[in-house]
Amino acid sequence: MIHDTIAAISTPLGEGGIAVIRVSGPEAIAEVERVFQSKKPLSAAATHTVHYGFIVNKETGERIDEVLVTVMKGPRSFTAEDVVEIGCHGGIVSVKKVLDLLLTGRTRIAEPGEFTKRAFLNGRIDLSQAEAVIDVIRAKSDRAYQIAMKQAEGSLSARIKKLRHELVELMAHIEVNIDYPEHDVEEMTNAFIRTRCEAAITEIDRLLKSAEQGKIMREGIVTAIVGRPNVGKSSLLNTLTQENKAIVTDIPGTTRDVIEEYVTVNGIPLRLLDTAGIRETSDVVEQIGVEKSRTALAEADLILLVFNGSEPIHEDERLLLEQLADRNVIVIVNKTDLPQQLEMEELTRRIDAERIVRMSLQEESGIDELEAAISAIFFSGQVESNDLTYVSNVRHIALLKQAKSALGEATEAAESFVPIDMIQIDVRRAWEQLGEVIGDSVGDSLLDQIFSQFCLGK
Amino acid sequence: MGYVAGEYDVIVIGAGHAGCEAALATARMGCNTLLLTINLDMIAFMPCNPSIGGPAKGHVVREVDALGGEMGRHIDKTFIQMRMLNTGKGPAVHALRAQADKFQYQHLMKETIEATDNLTLRQGMVEELIVEDGVCKGVVTKTGAQYMAKAVVLTTGTYLRGKIIMGELMYESGPNNQQPSIKLSESLRQLGLELVRFKTGTPPRVHKDTIDFSKTEIQPGDAEPKFFSYETTEAPKEEQLPCWLTYTSPETHSIINSNLHRAPMFSGAIEGTGPRYCPSIEDKIVRFADKPKHQLFLEPEGRNTSEYYVQGLSTSMPEDVQLSMLRSVPGLEKVEMMRNGYAIEYDAVVPTQLWPTLETKLISGLFTAGQINGTSGYEEAAAQGIMAGINAARKVQGKEPVILERSQAYIGVLIDDLVTKGTAEPYRLLTSRAEYRLLLRHDNADLRLTPLGHEIGLISEERHRKFLEKKERVEQEIERLKQTKVKPEEHVQQMLREAGTVELNNATDLITLLKRPEVSYAHLESISPSPVELTDEMKEQVEIQIKYAGYIEKQLLQVERLRKMEQKRIPDDIVYEDVHGLANEAKSRLAKIRPLSIGQASRVSGVNPADISILLVYLEHYNQVTAAKK
């Protein structure tokens, strides 16, 4: 049953500075060796040994991370297959890059719960645990499904759907030429296929580029910055984004007109919501009532509630504190450089002291404390890390790359006069891989397309 | 009033393309077989287009032949035109298509059936199945004859509660005004089988002498016709007949448009679901309103008839409108309509009620094949017929069933689609339905299926010996090309120049040369002929296997990867309701389809990869627990 090699990040994201990528399967050692630079080749390594080296993109020569690699040969491993674990030190961005690199070869991303499934099917987990194993698979799949559904609403999904539609039109045209050779439809030529495939590759390149910049990734802890006007929300935002230039981007959301920005704080990905709203309305009197902010508040996993330390607590703020009583809130008392009038006692009655950060954005003080508070809340597990979102994004990039390479093969075949039915094999593969990104099942849609695009019959 | 009329191993009901193949297979496999049909003059009749083959369909005819069926041999003896289609495309989609002398074809098939040992042919209308404790024991005819059997194969085509519709006119009828089978449908319903209403149609037939062929384009057959059967060596003596191409005119479209209120398709008179790939002309004109004209092919129905089939003009318009439509077509201005077109509605069995053997899950020993399973097309019917026959015979003989895989044959794709996914419209095979199209080629049907046909007992020793010889010679020749190197000598360079490709710098083996797009096997032959004589068929095989090796290997790898899933059996007594963790939708879908393997389960709609993972874990547990109990 189990023939291929799988990989996944096996530690929760952001935890500590170290993340572990687990690779399992018959080609685990060869696959890691492909991207690993060390004194001795990994294939010569004894089982249960640890090796120091670098993960390197051997095509471009780019050195991605300094790592420790552990080799465990089957059956003495978690899955009873050859297993290699890569301990990465470079934080979230490089972990993702390492995984991306692995997935360019013969390794695929693990399905939810797949390591456990393999361990079970290979006899490593006691039979009495079958039910527990099933629960793991079910829970992880359901979660992945929910996340996929959430993503399917996004702009990435809309662009992929459009791309797939163009491909399926091309495929339908090719199929009609094959299945109805005497029909008076335009003859499909290799030149035409090539043009279409090249256009699709260009679009995938655009998607990949934005993916690599983090634009399309709806990942990270959904974070909202809220507070009354003039408390310093936009300064906080600017500080966070400038201090953490790793992934700063803005994209207009498709369904709501929300501008999102991505920052990593101590390696923890944050997705800042409704930041445009903050910027635009910071001078406007009433901000809390704005519908957009309410939506943002409802969605947020983490809320940064900003107070002006130089003013007493406002009634609106008391209301907010009550509304947010059950939520993950970090209270930021800003403007500590000014004379303080805020009732700190009242605040500490309502909020744990470690959740209150005093800072002066003006003087750039207190930023480290804020970042520490975010880390604390994250690692205590109170905010759930969106690692499945994250993994699905890595999977998306891998699939996009595979789709691109399939289209590349189609283009090449079209140039070398390969018959259209064979070129179709590669076009179809690309179409299916794009479908996997957005969770579209293949189904009958090609046939539907053929019969809606062309008038056929005897 | 009833009387016991006989006892057989297998009874086949219906002698269309499915029934003939089924009955011939069971009889040849040693089962005492009764073939019952409503009208002995309608054996292997082609009620619609007088042609066999085309993409996917032609492949299926090759497969039926490779298994030892009859359709290929018979069309080879009775064709009036043969064309290889798609020759400009890859070898996998080359497709043979024949125009049949439909009368000669059916007479020849009747002769074959009459001459076959173990096979009794009888006219009779079956009205009821005899079923005891969920096992099919026999049939009862309208005249009260009771025939007992160990297995029954139902191939009722479009006869089940058939109804012909044409404009405002509607009457109970089988195809071509034959008696419909009304009571049998009721019997099936009472036994608990779920039936569905489908619709199909046929165009009018016109008189040859009233066609002005000068206004049409000639469509001749191939100068050197190929054949469907691997056994056929020569073509019929008579010259091939051409078909003719014409088009609908703006007037045709306006006649149809102004009579749409009389079209049963739109008036609501038709309740059955029709096939999208075979729409009526009125349907085409409504759905593709901006298409200015539609192709019409005029096809002779035989050598000794003046009837011409008007392909492309399938219709259920009233008779008077049909005639006006015809006469608005260039070349048909003065045409005489000999038979009108019509739509026909009929009952079909929902095919997800079948095992992949084509036996019903509900009634042991009852098999169904052909149009009754929701398909359309003579070829699809023949394919199911031979498989139902093989499995009925093997059941009677206590042998393991034969199920073809999707990677093995179009027949496998067809049956798996039907029983696993069902169909919402009459099902037609298309090459795009096959995920391993490159493996399921027209040329290699024998390599894929003839060893199996021999094992089953439908391929003679003599034919099998010839097959093995072909296979061996092809393999030897490929090996020779691998081993043989040529140097950049003048005669080699000259050949390469003539082929339009670059000259050699170093010594190169012949395989590498043949992989160049410009170089054919014939080119190699001119510089290094095979030491043993090879037939054209063998040469073609060598060329295809080498030229497309890269693509072929890619698909083989995919097949190999999924093979274990296909081989992982699901025990018969699994209770999906008890499988902890399966999604509810998956539970109910799987309980209905009852897939035989994990591979089949993964193709059931509504079952996702997580469900398959869970099923695997459950089965592992189940198997070990069951093993421990024993």
Side-chain angles (χ1 to χ4, degrees), chain A residues 270-335:
Chain A
L270 298 188
R271 179 175 142 209
L272 297 173
L273 277 188
D274 199 23
T275 48
I278 295 171
R279 283 194 171 127
E280 281 162 22
T281 58
S282 54
D283 298 328
V284 180
V285 184
E286 186 52 88
Q287 203 262 320
I288 293 168
V290 175
E291 187 60 31
K292 280 186 204 167
S293 304
R294 288 199 182 281
T295 318
L297 262 187
E299 268 187 28
D301 300 320
L302 173 66
I303 293 154
L304 303 180
L305 179 54
V306 188
F307 285 82
N308 180 347
S310 67
E311 287 175 2
I313 297 177
H314 190 273
E315 263 324 293
D316 286 351
E317 289 170 336
R318 291 209 170 84
L319 207 63
L320 255 182
L321 278 169
E322 260 164 45
Q323 281 172 0
L324 300 177
D326 301 330
R327 307 284 297 273
N328 284 305
V329 179
I330 293 179
V331 167
I332 293 159
V333 179
N334 189 20
K335 307 196 183 181

Side-chain angles (χ1 to χ4, degrees), chain B residues 317-329:
Chain B
M317 283 294 205
E319 197 170 86
D320 54 316
V321 180
Q322 292 191 21
L323 188 60
S324 318
M325 276 158 54
L326 283 169
R327 290 187 174 167
S328 67
V329 171

Side-chain angles (χ1 to χ4, degrees), chain A residues 181-215:
Chain A
E182 291 170 303
H183 221 270
D184 55 346
V185 296
E186 194 192 336
E187 183 145 2
M188 181 49 71
T189 62
N190 282 25
F192 185 81
I193 298 177
R194 209 185 65 200
T195 317
R196 287 296 194 86
C197 289
E198 280 167 353
I201 289 174
T202 311
E203 173 62 9
I204 293 183
D205 273 335
R206 264 186 233 127
L207 286 169
L208 274 171
K209 205 169 166 197
S210 42
E212 272 147 22
Q213 289 167 351
K215 275 185 185 167

Side-chain angles (χ1 to χ4, degrees), chain B residues 408-426:
Chain B
Q408 199 177 2
Y410 274 98
I411 302 176
V413 173
L414 164 72
I415 295 177
D416 182 64
D417 276 351
L418 288 175
V419 305
T420 308
K421 296 184 182 132
T423 182
E425 65 184 331

Side-chain angles (χ1 to χ4, degrees), chain B residues 531-551:
Chain B
V532 285
E533 197 179 330
L534 301 178
T535 63
D536 288 348
E537 220 179 59
M538 295 174 193
K539 292 173 190 172
E540 177 196 34
Q541 199 50 237
V542 168
E543 179 164 330
I544 291 171
Q545 287 193 19
I546 291 173
K547 266 198 174 327
Y548 304 103
Y551 281 92

Side-chain angles (χ1 to χ4, degrees), chain A residues 1 117 127 131 134-135 138 141 175 177-179 182 409 419 421-422 447-448 451 454 456-458, chain B residues 83 86 89-90 97 276-277 279 287-288 295 312 431 433 437 548 554 564 580-581 610-611 613 624:
Chain A
M1 181 86 20
K117 177 179 112 184
L127 272 181
E131 207 157 286
I134 285 175
D135 286 339
R138 182 86 263 162
S141 304
E175 292 297 349
N177 268 255
I178 295 169
D179 272 326
E182 291 170 303
E409 282 172 43
D421 55 299
M422 298 195 177
L447 290 184
D448 292 341
F451 294 118
F454 299 98
L456 302 165
K458 55 182 183 182
Chain B
R83 278 187 76 185
N86 277 337
K89 306 185 184 90
R97 202 266 323 277
R276 286 175 296 178
Y277 48 80
R287 282 180 49 217
F288 294 88
Q295 284 176 323
T431 67
R433 293 195 194 265
R437 183 155 68 189
Y548 304 103
K554 251 197 244 177
K564 297 222 165 157
H580 167 80
D611 296 317
S613 290
Q624 297 204 17

Side-chain angles (χ1 to χ4, degrees), chain B residues 9 63 93 108 131 145 180 211 237 241 248 256 261 283 297 315 395 438 445 456 488 498 503 543 546 553 559 577 612:
Chain B
D9 291 326
E63 290 175 356
V93 297
L108 193 64
V131 176
I211 301 171
K237 302 265 178 301
L241 300 181
T248 56
I256 291 169
H261 61 285
D283 206 15
F297 289 94
T315 181
K395 183 170 176 113
L438 202 51
I456 292 167
E498 276 165 15
E503 296 180 17
E543 179 164 330
I546 291 173
E553 273 158 26
V559 173
E577 201 45 51
I612 293 300

Side-chain angles (χ1 to χ4, degrees), chain B residues 260-279:
Chain B
L260 279 181
H261 61 285
R262 298 180 68 196
M265 282 297 294
F266 303 103
S267 67
I270 289 184
E271 45 175 298
T273 312
R276 286 175 296 178
Y277 48 80
C278 188

